[in-house]
Structures are given as C-alpha cells and as structure tokens.
Amino acid sequence: HAQAIGTLAGVARWLRPQGRHIGVVWVDAHTDMNTPDTTPSGNIHGMPLAVLLGHGPSELLDICGPEPALRPEHVSVIGARDVDASEAPLVRELGVRVYTMSELDARGTSPCLHEAFERVTTGTIGLHLSFDLDGVDPADAPGVGTPVPGGLTLRESLTVCELAHRTQALRGMEMVELNPTLDERNKTGQLAVWLIVSALGKVIL
C-alpha cells in the first residue's frame, strides 16, 4: 500500500495550483498512519496515509511537495480492525473518519458507506479509491501479507466498489497487497478482478 504515496502525491501536485483537492476512500484492516516514531514493525506500508496527511520522514514527505497531499476531512477509512495503540493518537488528533468493522456491524454497512462517500466527495473534485485487500475477511481474501480476521465480506467489498462507480465521481483507484504466493487457487486474485470491474461500472443488470 506504500505505492499510494506516489499515486496520491502526483494527483495532489497536479491539483494544488488549481486550488482543488481529491477525496479518498481508504479500504484497509489498518489505518496506515504510523510514523517512524510509532511503528512497531518499521514497515513503510504501515505509514502511507500518515505521510499523505503530512506526518512522517522527510524523504517521504518530500514526495508530496510543500504541503500534505490530503486533508483529513476528505478521507474515509473503511474496515479498520487492527490499529496500533501507538498510532491511534495521530488518528484521533487529525480527525480522519475511520469506520471500524465494529461500527459497520452496529450501524449497518450500507449507511456507513453512503456517509463515507458523501464525506470524501464534498469539497473535492471527486474520489480516489485505495483498496487494500486485507480489508476483506481472510476467508474471502487469503492472499494477503497481513490478514486480520473479521473483515469485509465479499458482498460488502463489492458494494464499496459499486458505490464508488455509482457516485460518478471516481477519479482513480488502486488495488493493493495481493500476494499470489499466499493465495489459494487464485481466490484473492479473482476477487481483485471482480472488485476492479465493479468499480469501473460492471452491474448485474
């Protein structure tokens, strides 16, 4: 998921001179808002959202340019269920809207998703969907490096992508963290294809 730093930094650098911004729906089991001072693992793929919001090592922040690539009010994280205690303070401080799996279960996935998409498309040119396959439950997406039980179902994951298309505001997308060596008979690879074509507009009827 570290590639999102480059993807969204590039978008932000293009939009910045026009005074415009991009919204982001970040599907992930994690919030990816660690910094070198808080990370338990040292992995950069646990830091991209923090970097895009202006926190992290200068070598990565420089990719975004003179100011953060994203604004917290334009970001919705979907499916979080494994947030490091050391990174939680930054999540709370910045006010990024995180829809945990507990909240999706309590309130219902559909209303939470509609709210999340409304948030990121307000005051922006549209949305970028950054989809980490570990946001999906390992039963449906085993081929990931950091599986966490209790994630989005296959149907909920497809709903995210169908809604992204339905907004008519999808401007970019990445599907990340597929690890074929950990997959089971290409189960996760096939799911990734279904999700991508759903986001691009494939419908049942």
Side-chain angles (χ1 to χ4, degrees):
H1 215 167
Q3 74 180 53
I5 298 173
T7 305
L8 286 161
V11 173
R13 281 176 173 269
W14 181 73
L15 291 174
R16 194 173 291 139
Q18 308 167 44
R20 300 196 295 172
H21 306 277
I22 188 76
V24 176
V25 170
W26 191 276
V27 180
D28 206 310
H30 315 89
T31 50
D32 289 348
M33 290 180 63
N34 269 300
T35 67
D37 294 330
T38 65
T39 175
S41 67
N43 293 326
I44 291 178
H45 64 72
M47 305 181 190
L49 193 50
V51 170
L52 291 164
L53 290 163
H55 296 263
S58 59
E59 296 89 344
L60 296 178
L61 293 174
D62 287 346
I63 298 172
C64 298
E67 60 186 75
L70 301 176
R71 293 184 171 185
E73 63 267 28
H74 297 155
V75 178
S76 293
V77 178
I78 302 292
R81 55 195 184 278
D82 184 17
V83 180
D84 294 320
S86 52
E87 73 177 311
L90 182 60
V91 178
R92 289 192 291 265
E93 175 190 334
L94 293 181
V96 169
R97 185 63 168 94
V98 179
Y99 293 86
T100 64
M101 286 306 304
S102 296
E103 182 174 357
L104 297 182
D105 291 341
R107 294 180 53 203
T109 300
S110 182
C112 289
L113 293 181
H114 280 87
E115 185 177 291
F117 279 97
E118 176 68 23
R119 174 185 174 88
V120 305
T121 53
T122 300
T124 67
I125 65 154
L127 71 99
H128 178 90
L129 178 59
S130 194
F131 201 117
D132 188 320
L133 285 160
D134 70 23
V136 185
D137 193 88
D140 292 311
V144 299
T146 51
V148 183
L152 298 169
T153 65
L154 186 151
R155 184 59 250 166
E156 288 172 326
S157 303
L158 286 167
T159 299
V160 171
C161 293
E162 290 165 356
L163 278 176
H165 174 73
R166 212 172 298 155
T167 65
Q168 295 298 298
L170 185 64
R171 301 291 178 259
M173 179 183 184
E174 59 214 340
M175 184 69 58
V176 301
E177 299 296 350
L178 172 63
N179 189 331
T181 65
L182 298 174
D183 208 359
E184 300 171 2
R185 296 189 299 175
N186 200 34
K187 186 175 185 177
T188 314
Q190 184 62 62
L191 173 60
V193 173
W194 291 342
L195 294 173
I196 292 168
V197 297
S198 292
L200 294 177
K202 183 176 180 180
V203 294
I204 298 171
L205 289 174

Short mmCIF file of all heavy atoms in Angstrom, two decimals, residues 7-39:
data_model
loop_
_atom_site.label_atom_id
_atom_site.label_comp_id
_atom_site.label_asym_id
_atom_site.label_seq_id
_atom_site.Cartn_x
_atom_site.Cartn_y
_atom_site.Cartn_z
N THR A 7 1.08 7.68 -5.86
CA THR A 7 -0.15 7.88 -6.63
C THR A 7 -0.84 9.19 -6.24
O THR A 7 -1.12 10.06 -7.07
CB THR A 7 -1.13 6.72 -6.39
OG1 THR A 7 -0.50 5.49 -6.70
CG2 THR A 7 -2.37 6.88 -7.27
N LEU A 8 -1.09 9.34 -4.94
CA LEU A 8 -1.87 10.49 -4.48
C LEU A 8 -1.03 11.76 -4.39
O LEU A 8 -1.56 12.86 -4.54
CB LEU A 8 -2.54 10.16 -3.15
CG LEU A 8 -3.73 9.22 -3.33
CD1 LEU A 8 -4.11 8.53 -2.02
CD2 LEU A 8 -4.93 9.97 -3.90
N ALA A 9 0.26 11.62 -4.18
CA ALA A 9 1.12 12.80 -4.23
C ALA A 9 1.11 13.39 -5.64
O ALA A 9 1.06 14.62 -5.81
CB ALA A 9 2.55 12.44 -3.82
N GLY A 10 1.14 12.52 -6.64
CA GLY A 10 1.08 13.00 -8.02
C GLY A 10 -0.22 13.73 -8.33
O GLY A 10 -0.22 14.79 -8.96
N VAL A 11 -1.33 13.16 -7.88
CA VAL A 11 -2.63 13.81 -8.08
C VAL A 11 -2.67 15.16 -7.37
O VAL A 11 -3.10 16.17 -7.93
CB VAL A 11 -3.77 12.90 -7.56
CG1 VAL A 11 -5.10 13.63 -7.60
CG2 VAL A 11 -3.85 11.61 -8.37
N ALA A 12 -2.19 15.18 -6.12
CA ALA A 12 -2.22 16.41 -5.33
C ALA A 12 -1.35 17.50 -5.96
O ALA A 12 -1.72 18.68 -5.98
CB ALA A 12 -1.76 16.13 -3.91
N ARG A 13 -0.19 17.12 -6.47
CA ARG A 13 0.71 18.11 -7.09
C ARG A 13 0.05 18.73 -8.33
O ARG A 13 0.27 19.90 -8.63
CB ARG A 13 2.04 17.46 -7.47
CG ARG A 13 3.01 17.28 -6.31
CD ARG A 13 4.25 16.54 -6.76
NE ARG A 13 5.27 16.49 -5.74
CZ ARG A 13 6.24 17.38 -5.58
NH1 ARG A 13 6.29 18.44 -6.38
NH2 ARG A 13 7.15 17.26 -4.63
N TRP A 14 -0.74 17.94 -9.04
CA TRP A 14 -1.41 18.47 -10.22
C TRP A 14 -2.58 19.38 -9.84
O TRP A 14 -2.83 20.41 -10.47
CB TRP A 14 -1.91 17.31 -11.09
CG TRP A 14 -2.60 17.75 -12.34
CD1 TRP A 14 -2.03 18.29 -13.46
CD2 TRP A 14 -4.00 17.71 -12.60
NE1 TRP A 14 -2.98 18.57 -14.40
CE2 TRP A 14 -4.20 18.24 -13.90
CE3 TRP A 14 -5.12 17.28 -11.86
CZ2 TRP A 14 -5.47 18.33 -14.47
CZ3 TRP A 14 -6.37 17.38 -12.43
CH2 TRP A 14 -6.53 17.90 -13.72
N LEU A 15 -3.30 19.02 -8.78
CA LEU A 15 -4.47 19.78 -8.36
C LEU A 15 -4.12 21.05 -7.59
O LEU A 15 -4.85 22.04 -7.64
CB LEU A 15 -5.37 18.91 -7.48
CG LEU A 15 -6.10 17.75 -8.16
CD1 LEU A 15 -6.83 16.91 -7.11
CD2 LEU A 15 -7.08 18.25 -9.21
N ARG A 16 -3.00 21.02 -6.88
CA ARG A 16 -2.67 22.11 -5.95
C ARG A 16 -2.67 23.50 -6.61
O ARG A 16 -3.25 24.44 -6.06
CB ARG A 16 -1.32 21.81 -5.29
CG ARG A 16 -1.02 22.67 -4.08
CD ARG A 16 0.24 22.18 -3.40
NE ARG A 16 0.04 20.89 -2.76
CZ ARG A 16 0.93 19.89 -2.79
NH1 ARG A 16 2.07 20.04 -3.41
NH2 ARG A 16 0.67 18.76 -2.17
N PRO A 17 -2.03 23.68 -7.77
CA PRO A 17 -2.03 25.01 -8.38
C PRO A 17 -3.43 25.49 -8.78
O PRO A 17 -3.65 26.69 -8.95
CB PRO A 17 -1.15 24.82 -9.63
CG PRO A 17 -0.33 23.62 -9.36
CD PRO A 17 -1.21 22.73 -8.54
N GLN A 18 -4.37 24.56 -8.91
CA GLN A 18 -5.74 24.92 -9.27
C GLN A 18 -6.61 25.18 -8.04
O GLN A 18 -7.79 25.51 -8.16
CB GLN A 18 -6.36 23.78 -10.08
CG GLN A 18 -5.54 23.34 -11.28
CD GLN A 18 -6.04 22.02 -11.86
OE1 GLN A 18 -7.25 21.82 -12.02
NE2 GLN A 18 -5.14 21.11 -12.16
N GLY A 19 -6.02 25.00 -6.84
CA GLY A 19 -6.78 25.18 -5.61
C GLY A 19 -7.83 24.10 -5.40
O GLY A 19 -8.84 24.34 -4.74
N ARG A 20 -7.57 22.90 -5.95
CA ARG A 20 -8.55 21.82 -5.84
C ARG A 20 -7.96 20.65 -5.07
O ARG A 20 -6.75 20.54 -4.90
CB ARG A 20 -9.01 21.39 -7.23
CG ARG A 20 -9.65 22.52 -8.02
CD ARG A 20 -10.43 22.00 -9.22
NE ARG A 20 -9.56 21.37 -10.21
CZ ARG A 20 -10.03 20.70 -11.28
NH1 ARG A 20 -11.34 20.58 -11.45
NH2 ARG A 20 -9.20 20.17 -12.15
N HIS A 21 -8.84 19.74 -4.62
CA HIS A 21 -8.42 18.63 -3.76
C HIS A 21 -9.11 17.34 -4.20
O HIS A 21 -10.16 17.36 -4.84
CB HIS A 21 -8.76 18.93 -2.30
CG HIS A 21 -8.21 20.24 -1.82
ND1 HIS A 21 -6.93 20.38 -1.37
CD2 HIS A 21 -8.79 21.48 -1.75
CE1 HIS A 21 -6.71 21.64 -1.03
NE2 HIS A 21 -7.83 22.32 -1.24
N ILE A 22 -8.52 16.21 -3.79
CA ILE A 22 -9.08 14.89 -4.07
C ILE A 22 -9.54 14.27 -2.76
O ILE A 22 -8.91 14.46 -1.71
CB ILE A 22 -8.04 13.97 -4.77
CG1 ILE A 22 -8.68 12.65 -5.24
CG2 ILE A 22 -6.85 13.70 -3.86
CD1 ILE A 22 -9.51 12.79 -6.48
N GLY A 23 -10.65 13.56 -2.79
CA GLY A 23 -11.11 12.80 -1.63
C GLY A 23 -10.66 11.36 -1.76
O GLY A 23 -10.44 10.86 -2.87
N VAL A 24 -10.52 10.67 -0.63
CA VAL A 24 -10.01 9.30 -0.65
C VAL A 24 -10.85 8.39 0.25
O VAL A 24 -11.08 8.70 1.42
CB VAL A 24 -8.54 9.24 -0.19
CG1 VAL A 24 -8.05 7.79 -0.12
CG2 VAL A 24 -7.65 10.04 -1.13
N VAL A 25 -11.29 7.29 -0.33
CA VAL A 25 -11.85 6.18 0.45
C VAL A 25 -10.75 5.14 0.57
O VAL A 25 -10.29 4.60 -0.43
CB VAL A 25 -13.11 5.58 -0.21
CG1 VAL A 25 -13.52 4.30 0.50
CG2 VAL A 25 -14.25 6.58 -0.19
N TRP A 26 -10.32 4.89 1.80
CA TRP A 26 -9.17 4.03 2.09
C TRP A 26 -9.70 2.75 2.75
O TRP A 26 -10.06 2.74 3.91
CB TRP A 26 -8.23 4.77 3.03
CG TRP A 26 -6.88 4.19 3.26
CD1 TRP A 26 -6.55 3.22 4.15
CD2 TRP A 26 -5.66 4.58 2.62
NE1 TRP A 26 -5.20 2.96 4.11
CE2 TRP A 26 -4.63 3.79 3.18
CE3 TRP A 26 -5.34 5.52 1.64
CZ2 TRP A 26 -3.29 3.91 2.78
CZ3 TRP A 26 -4.02 5.64 1.24
CH2 TRP A 26 -3.01 4.85 1.80
N VAL A 27 -9.79 1.67 1.97
CA VAL A 27 -10.29 0.39 2.50
C VAL A 27 -9.10 -0.40 3.02
O VAL A 27 -8.17 -0.70 2.27
CB VAL A 27 -11.02 -0.40 1.41
CG1 VAL A 27 -11.53 -1.74 1.97
CG2 VAL A 27 -12.17 0.41 0.83
N ASP A 28 -9.15 -0.76 4.30
CA ASP A 28 -7.96 -1.38 4.90
C ASP A 28 -8.31 -1.92 6.28
O ASP A 28 -9.12 -1.33 7.00
CB ASP A 28 -6.85 -0.32 5.04
CG ASP A 28 -5.45 -0.90 5.06
OD1 ASP A 28 -5.21 -1.84 5.83
OD2 ASP A 28 -4.60 -0.40 4.30
N ALA A 29 -7.66 -3.02 6.65
CA ALA A 29 -7.80 -3.52 8.02
C ALA A 29 -7.07 -2.61 9.00
O ALA A 29 -7.32 -2.66 10.20
CB ALA A 29 -7.23 -4.94 8.12
N HIS A 30 -6.15 -1.79 8.47
CA HIS A 30 -5.32 -0.92 9.29
C HIS A 30 -5.55 0.53 8.88
O HIS A 30 -6.07 0.80 7.79
CB HIS A 30 -3.84 -1.28 9.09
CG HIS A 30 -3.57 -2.75 9.11
ND1 HIS A 30 -3.63 -3.54 7.97
CD2 HIS A 30 -3.28 -3.58 10.14
CE1 HIS A 30 -3.37 -4.80 8.29
NE2 HIS A 30 -3.16 -4.85 9.60
N THR A 31 -5.15 1.47 9.71
CA THR A 31 -5.29 2.88 9.34
C THR A 31 -4.06 3.41 8.62
O THR A 31 -4.09 4.49 8.05
CB THR A 31 -5.59 3.75 10.57
OG1 THR A 31 -4.65 3.47 11.61
CG2 THR A 31 -7.00 3.52 11.07
N ASP A 32 -2.95 2.65 8.65
CA ASP A 32 -1.73 3.03 7.92
C ASP A 32 -1.26 4.44 8.27
O ASP A 32 -0.82 5.20 7.41
CB ASP A 32 -1.96 2.93 6.41
CG ASP A 32 -2.08 1.49 5.94
OD1 ASP A 32 -1.76 0.58 6.73
OD2 ASP A 32 -2.49 1.26 4.78
N MET A 33 -1.35 4.78 9.55
CA MET A 33 -0.97 6.11 10.00
C MET A 33 0.15 6.07 11.04
O MET A 33 0.26 6.91 11.92
CB MET A 33 -2.19 6.87 10.52
CG MET A 33 -3.14 7.25 9.40
SD MET A 33 -4.61 8.17 9.95
CE MET A 33 -3.86 9.65 10.61
N ASN A 34 1.02 5.07 10.92
CA ASN A 34 2.22 5.05 11.74
C ASN A 34 3.26 6.00 11.19
O ASN A 34 3.21 6.40 10.01
CB ASN A 34 2.81 3.64 11.80
CG ASN A 34 2.28 2.82 12.96
OD1 ASN A 34 2.46 3.20 14.11
ND2 ASN A 34 1.63 1.70 12.67
N THR A 35 4.19 6.37 12.02
CA THR A 35 5.37 7.14 11.63
C THR A 35 6.59 6.36 12.12
O THR A 35 6.45 5.39 12.88
CB THR A 35 5.36 8.54 12.26
OG1 THR A 35 5.53 8.40 13.69
CG2 THR A 35 4.07 9.29 11.96
N PRO A 36 7.80 6.78 11.73
CA PRO A 36 8.98 6.07 12.25
C PRO A 36 9.06 6.05 13.77
O PRO A 36 9.65 5.14 14.35
CB PRO A 36 10.14 6.87 11.64
CG PRO A 36 9.59 7.40 10.36
CD PRO A 36 8.17 7.76 10.69
N ASP A 37 8.44 7.02 14.42
CA ASP A 37 8.47 7.07 15.89
C ASP A 37 7.45 6.15 16.55
O ASP A 37 7.57 5.84 17.73
CB ASP A 37 8.21 8.50 16.37
CG ASP A 37 9.34 9.45 15.98
OD1 ASP A 37 10.49 8.99 15.88
OD2 ASP A 37 9.05 10.64 15.76
N THR A 38 6.43 5.72 15.79
CA THR A 38 5.36 4.91 16.40
C THR A 38 5.28 3.49 15.87
O THR A 38 4.65 2.64 16.49
CB THR A 38 3.98 5.58 16.17
OG1 THR A 38 3.68 5.59 14.77
CG2 THR A 38 3.97 7.00 16.72
N THR A 39 5.90 3.21 14.73
CA THR A 39 5.71 1.91 14.09
C THR A 39 6.33 0.77 14.87
O THR A 39 7.51 0.83 15.24
CB THR A 39 6.30 1.93 12.66
OG1 THR A 39 6.21 0.61 12.10
CG2 THR A 39 7.76 2.37 12.65
#
